[in-house]
Each structure stands twice: as C-alpha cells, then as structure tokens.
Amino acid sequence: MKQPNSNTHTPSPLSVQHLSMRYHHKPVLTDVSFEIPEGKTIAIVGPNGAGKSTLLKGIMGLEPNIEGQASFFGESLDKKRQAIAYVPQREEIDWDFPINVLDVVLMGRHGQLKLWQRPSQLDIDIAEQALKDLKMWDFKNRQISQLSGGQQQRVFLARALAQQATLYLMDEPFAGVDVATEQAIIELFKELKLQGKTIVCVHHDLNTVGEYFDWIIFINARLIAAGPVEEVLTKENLNKTYGGRLSLLNDLTEQMYRTQLNKAHDTD
Amino acid sequence: MTNDIWIIATAALVAASCALVGVFLILRRQALIGDAISHSVLLGIVLAYLITDSRALPIMLGGAVIIGLLTAWLSDSLHRVGKLQSDASIGIIFTLFFAIGVILISLYAGQIDLDQECVLYGEIAFVPFDTIYIGNLAAESGFDIGPRAFWGIGIVFTIVLSSIIISFNRLKTIAFHPSLALSLGINVIFWHYFLMTLVSMTTVASFDAVGAILVVALLVIPASSAYLVARSLKAMLWMAVGYSQLAVLIGYALAFWLDSSISASIAVSAGLLLFVTIAWQQVQSQRRQRQPIDSL
C-alpha cells in the first residue's frame, strides 16, 4: 500500500540527480544524488578540493554539468530562479568595484525588474530592511572596499535576503568572518528557518557544523553520506570523507572531543 | 574657424563614446578585447566596402559589428577549444584579422579610398573636408550638413548613451559579478556580445578621426582614470566622460601649440591626466598617513 500522503507531498526544495562535473577533463564530482528537506539548514562538508563549491555552481548552472541535473521544488532552474538566492564566495568578488553597500543589496531585486525599470520605492524599502536585519544600516553609503571581511559578507547576505527567496545557496559564508558576523549569520538562519526557508551552505569548520546545521551532506568527489546531523555526523563518515589525511583527522577528532567537552561543561 | 569647431566636436564625441564603452571594458577586465576589436574592425570595413561598393554609415557599422563579434567569439573559442591562454587567443585572432585587412587594402588599393596610414593613425584635421551634402550638388539646391565623421560618431554616441541609460542595471550587475548576474537569470552571454557590438561600432566610427591605434588610448585611459577616483558606477561614467573631454581640449591646444597631430596630442593628454590623478592620490594618501604623527 502507498503512503496516504505521497501524492500531496510537496517536492523537495532541491533534488540533485546523478550529477557529474569535470574540470579540464579531470572528474571533480561523480554521480552525486541527494534530496534535501524543506525548512532546514544544510551543510555541504568535505576536504579541500572535494568539489563542494563546484557542486554548488553545478546546481546553479554556473559551470557546465556533464551529466545529471538539479530540480528545485520539482521544477527546472529557469522556472524557479527568483526563488533561489545564491551567495558566492567572498574571494570571487571584485571589492574595488565602484559601488556602495545599498546598491549591492538592491541587486537582489534586479531579477524581478524589467530591463528598463529602476528599483521602485518598495524595492528600496526591502533592501533597506535587509541591511537593518544584518545590522549594516550604518554602512549603507559606504563603498564596499571600505568594509571589513565580515561586513562584506553581511552585505552579500543582505543582498540574498532582499531577493526574498525560499532557497538560499551559500558558498562558505562563515569563512574568515568576525564573531559579530558569525552571530549575525546564525540569527539570520534562525529567522529564515522560522519563515520555513531552506538554507544550503558550503561549510569548512567541523567544530561548528553540528551546532549550526540540521543536516549534513558529506562530499569527497562523490557523495559519502547525506542526512540529519545526529545520524550522519559519525566517525565512520568523517573517516570516509577525510580518509588518508590522518594527521588532519587526528586533529579533528581531538577538536571534536574538545567541543564535546566544552558542551558538557556548558550544560553543567 | 568652423573647421576647428567641427574637429573639436568630432573629437569630443569620439572621446565621450570611447570613455563610456571603456568604463565597462575596464570593469569587466576586458581592455585587451577592446584593443583587439579596434584593430580587427578594419577587415570588416574593407570587406563591407568591397562587397557593397558603398561607404554608407550603416554598411560600415554592419561590417565592423560582424567582424567585431567574430573576433570576440573566435578568441573565446580558441581559448576554450584550443586550450590556449585567453590573452594569447585574443592576440592571435585580432592580428590575423588586421593583417588580412591590410592585404586586402593593398590588393585593391585602386578601388578603396583608404590608405594604411590613415587607418592606423587617423587624421582628424581632414574630417571637415569630407562632408555630407543633402540635395543636388550640381544644381546647388541642397546644403552641406557637416562632416561625415561627425554624423557617424554622433549616431554611434546616441546609440551607446541610450543603451547604457536603458540597460544600466543589467550592465552594472554583469560588470560587478557575472555569476551572480547569471544566478539572477540575466543572460550574461547576450550582454557580453552586446557590449562587444558597442565597442565595434564605437571604434569604427572613431576610425576617421583617431585611427586604430589611438582609439585604444581613448577606450582605456579616461575610464582608468575614472576607476581610480569614482565611488559608484554612475560617477565613474561621468568622470570618464569628463576626463575624455578635458583630454580633447588640452590635446587640441597642445597640437595647436606644437603644430603636431591632433589625435596623438589628445592621447598624450589623456595619459598625462591619468598620471596627474595617480600623483594626486599618492600625495593625498601620504598626507593622510602623516596626520596621526602631526596630531601627537
């Protein structure tokens, strides 16, 4: 017998089927398939060069896929573009570009505008609210080169927020940011989750992955494991993902042990 | 006197069009492709002339745009398919096209009213003598509406300016972050070739005035000066036009004083303005560094 609600079941915000990608004839990702739940925070985790950013770019169609596809809420990317906000890695952005903070955030509204249209007052209000949400209001007229790394990251998150998407794909939002920004991102995640939105992040810090995310996708050239944190954050999966890098792995287990100790102390 | 006005007006429009297009080339880090197109459009002009036997503006622009886009596309294909570095690919394609253009000119020298010197350096001083005459010349019933070069660049300037005004937001997003633009559903490839079309039209309309070599100076230098000081894209566009107009005026005075080539003097002035800007910035930043010590 079929599940009673299998027909009314809403399609997953992001479902990847048999995705393979190559870079200069070298396979980077092979046959990756997964499906994520709605309204959760999901981390893509793996060692350097494992293809985490490539996976995100392949999903967004920014780099050509050899095989496979991604569907969003059961539909193709072109039909759902406005519902998906992409936050590129901070290093990929030209921070010397002559543009101020508010204009960057307004770019989140450009997808909704016709060619000749200028942002309306509503667009500006939405952008300004996004800046306030990320506590960047005071910087709205700054040129982006005059911001710290964390502030730059918050500007890009505000841009994604202004797009009013339902699925957020972020490439290493926590990389090299200060404590205040890390807190601001966590707050943002909570707020977005309350609104039922889904967040997928490439994440590199195993110390925080269990704390910040509900779900983990382990990647190392292929899919190692995907599932809720409590099920997949195991020594075995870490071994499979980071295998061969023993010294690193030892450090990681030690770090994990320590964070668990800290947590134990915190709860005391 | 009227000749001077036509020369300055033509130079001003050439410089302004180049500056506006140049801003986007600089921001997209594609100054080299501007250089390439400015040379390879020569082939487009020659081919268009040989095929149609006409020097009408739409035909010249059409030939230039087709060859300009082909230059951009072939350079990119050579880079992707041939696995050559992108700057090497651009260098290969445009020199090839330019060389074919030069061969064609020398083969059909009798038929083509283009000499190689003029193509390379341009001669803006001769611009006022090639005018457009509306009506019947023999009956003297028509009238002279001014130099061909002026109207050519005038039309191109209008196209460039209105394109930028209409699609300002698109061009801004693409110049700032192409993958972000792509993720917003903007057709980045279309806009790339659109920009290449504007570059082709601008360079071909600037040919009579400044030639293939000096047009590169006008594409790159005023926009670079503006890049150093501007804090928004709108400001950068205004400043690039400002720098270019200043270069035209200083260059014209310089040419008058030295009795030398006008277009070369304009290019030199643009370069001087850039160095003055850099020097001024250095002085400013040193003064700023000294301030905390002074206040102690």
Side-chain angles (χ1 to χ4, degrees):
Chain A
M1 258 193 62
K2 276 192 169 182
Q3 293 284 325
N5 62 348
S6 69
N7 287 334
T8 53
H9 175 77
T10 50
S12 158
L14 169 64
S15 144
V16 173
Q17 295 111 20
H18 307 291
L19 188 77
S20 294
M21 294 182 68
R22 217 181 277 159
Y23 185 73
H24 284 313
H25 296 296
K26 238 175 77 186
V28 180
L29 285 174
T30 316
D31 197 22
V32 173
S33 302
F34 59 85
E35 202 165 279
I36 60 169
E38 195 167 4
K40 302 277 181 205
T41 50
I42 294 125
I44 300 175
V45 173
N48 285 337
K52 293 168 293 189
S53 294
T54 313
L55 173 62
L56 220 53
K57 285 180 181 153
I59 290 170
M60 281 307 288
L62 301 176
E63 271 168 32
N65 303 340
I66 307 162
E67 250 172 61
Q69 55 185 345
S71 56
F72 303 84
F73 306 95
E75 299 204 63
S76 71
L77 177 61
D78 281 328
K79 283 196 180 141
K80 283 286 172 190
R81 265 194 205 279
Q82 298 317 321
I84 310 157
Y86 170 68
V87 180
Q89 247 178 67
R90 204 151 52 82
E91 293 86 71
E92 290 174 17
I93 293 153
D94 174 12
W95 295 106
D96 287 327
F97 195 93
I99 192 168
N100 70 22
V101 167
L102 184 61
D103 275 348
V104 172
V105 179
L106 272 172
M107 275 184 188
R109 309 295 306 160
H110 285 182
Q112 271 100 324
L113 297 178
K114 297 259 183 338
L115 174 63
W116 57 90
Q117 280 178 327
R118 295 290 186 265
S120 67
Q121 192 54 47
L122 178 68
D123 292 319
I124 294 170
D125 290 345
I126 291 169
E128 290 186 341
Q129 189 54 46
L131 277 174
K132 282 176 187 157
D133 288 348
L134 282 145
K135 302 186 180 62
M136 286 297 292
W137 176 249
D138 295 338
F139 300 92
K140 69 174 180 138
N141 292 320
R142 282 266 185 107
Q143 210 218 313
I144 52 170
S145 61
Q146 296 169 323
L147 299 172
S148 74
Q151 291 165 342
Q152 290 176 340
Q153 190 67 62
R154 276 188 268 165
V155 171
F156 258 72
L157 290 166
R159 190 214 61 82
L161 199 59
Q163 198 179 327
Q164 298 186 320
T166 40
L167 171 65
Y168 292 79
L169 301 176
M170 307 182 178
D171 205 343
E172 301 253 20
F174 292 100
V177 302
D178 50 293
V179 181
T181 301
E182 191 148 340
Q183 281 309 316
I185 302 176
I186 300 300
E187 287 297 314
L188 176 70
F189 281 11
K190 276 185 196 152
E191 182 58 35
L192 289 174
K193 255 167 60 172
L194 275 178
Q195 299 168 15
K197 299 184 171 179
T198 312
I199 301 153
V200 181
C201 286
V202 171
H203 194 65
H204 66 289
D205 186 3
L206 285 170
N207 292 318
T208 52
V209 70
E211 190 185 334
Y212 294 170
F213 295 95
D214 308 318
W215 243 64
I216 302 183
I217 297 165
F218 283 105
I219 292 279
N220 191 353
R222 44 182 77 237
L223 185 74
I224 309 287
V229 168
E230 51 274 19
E231 283 174 31
V232 296
L233 187 57
T234 59
K235 215 171 176 180
E236 197 198 343
N237 280 333
L238 284 171
N239 249 317
K240 275 197 217 160
T241 312
Y242 293 86
R245 301 170 193 227
L246 278 175
S247 60
L248 175 73
L249 198 61
N250 285 340
D251 288 350
L252 287 171
T253 37
E254 198 185 312
Q255 276 175 358
M256 275 182 72
Y257 176 69
R258 278 194 187 148
T259 38
Q260 268 161 10
L261 269 186
N262 286 343
K263 270 187 195 162
H265 287 307
D266 286 347
T267 47
D268 276 352
Chain B
M1 192 58 210
T2 24
N3 283 355
D4 289 296
I5 290 172
W6 282 125
I7 291 171
I8 293 179
T10 308
L13 283 174
V14 166
S17 311
C18 286
L20 289 173
V21 173
V23 164
F24 292 98
L25 288 177
I26 292 288
L27 290 176
R28 285 178 55 81
R29 290 150 204 250
Q30 286 174 326
L32 187 63
I33 194 86
D35 186 5
I37 287 179
S38 70
H39 284 74
S40 62
V41 289
L42 173 69
L43 179 62
I45 302 175
V46 174
L47 283 178
Y49 182 73
L50 285 177
I51 293 168
T52 62
D53 204 26
S54 155
R55 273 179 66 210
L57 183 72
I59 290 169
M60 293 289 116
L61 286 182
V65 167
I66 290 169
I67 293 294
L69 293 181
L70 204 60
T71 307
W73 182 72
L74 278 178
S75 308
D76 190 45
S77 307
L78 196 62
H79 165 57
R80 279 186 293 107
V81 180
K83 305 256 179 293
L84 286 169
Q85 284 156 8
S86 67
D87 50 352
S89 318
I90 293 171
I92 291 163
I93 298 296
F94 92 77
T95 46
L96 178 71
F97 279 8
F98 187 71
I100 296 174
V102 170
I103 289 177
L104 286 177
I105 290 180
S106 47
L107 274 182
Y108 299 96
Q111 297 169 39
I112 304 178
D113 165 33
L114 267 175
D115 77 289
Q116 292 171 27
E117 200 121 303
C118 179
V119 163
L120 287 178
Y121 311 118
E123 192 37 272
I124 201 165
F126 295 158
V127 158
F129 304 116
D130 184 8
T131 56
I132 300 176
Y133 198 84
I134 290 181
N136 190 341
L137 192 61
E140 289 188 9
S141 60
F143 51 95
D144 191 339
I145 58 163
R148 272 169 55 88
F150 172 80
W151 288 106
I153 191 65
I155 290 167
V156 169
F157 176 75
T158 314
I159 296 173
V160 168
L161 188 65
S162 45
S163 302
I164 291 176
I165 290 172
I166 292 170
S167 44
F168 182 76
N169 281 324
R170 291 284 192 279
L171 290 169
K172 177 163 76 175
T173 310
I174 288 161
F176 180 51
H177 202 297
S179 351
L180 192 69
L182 201 60
S183 82
L184 288 169
I186 297 171
N187 189 338
V188 175
I189 299 193
F190 167 80
W191 289 103
H192 171 68
Y193 285 104
F194 182 76
L195 182 61
M196 295 301 120
T197 305
L198 293 184
V199 173
S200 307
M201 293 199 296
T202 306
T203 51
V204 78
S206 309
F207 244 71
D208 283 344
V210 293
I213 296 179
L214 294 176
V215 72
V216 184
L218 291 176
L219 277 174
V220 175
I221 302 174
S224 299
S225 306
Y227 179 72
L228 293 174
V229 282
R231 298 163 125 248
S232 74
L233 179 57
K234 217 176 259 176
M236 186 173 167
L237 288 163
W238 280 110
M239 283 176 179
V241 171
Y243 270 108
S244 74
Q245 300 307 299
L246 211 54
V248 166
L249 292 177
I250 297 173
Y252 196 76
L254 196 68
F256 190 76
W257 177 50
L258 296 173
D259 192 20
S260 70
S261 155
I262 298 169
S263 48
S265 305
I266 292 173
V268 168
S269 312
L272 285 175
L273 287 171
L274 175 70
F275 288 119
V276 168
T277 306
I278 294 174
W280 180 73
Q281 279 195 318
Q282 290 298 318
V283 170
Q284 289 290 89
S285 76
Q286 269 178 10
R287 194 175 291 168
R288 226 172 292 138
Q289 278 171 1
R290 218 178 298 142
Q291 241 157 18
I293 304 167
D294 290 346
S295 62
L296 275 175

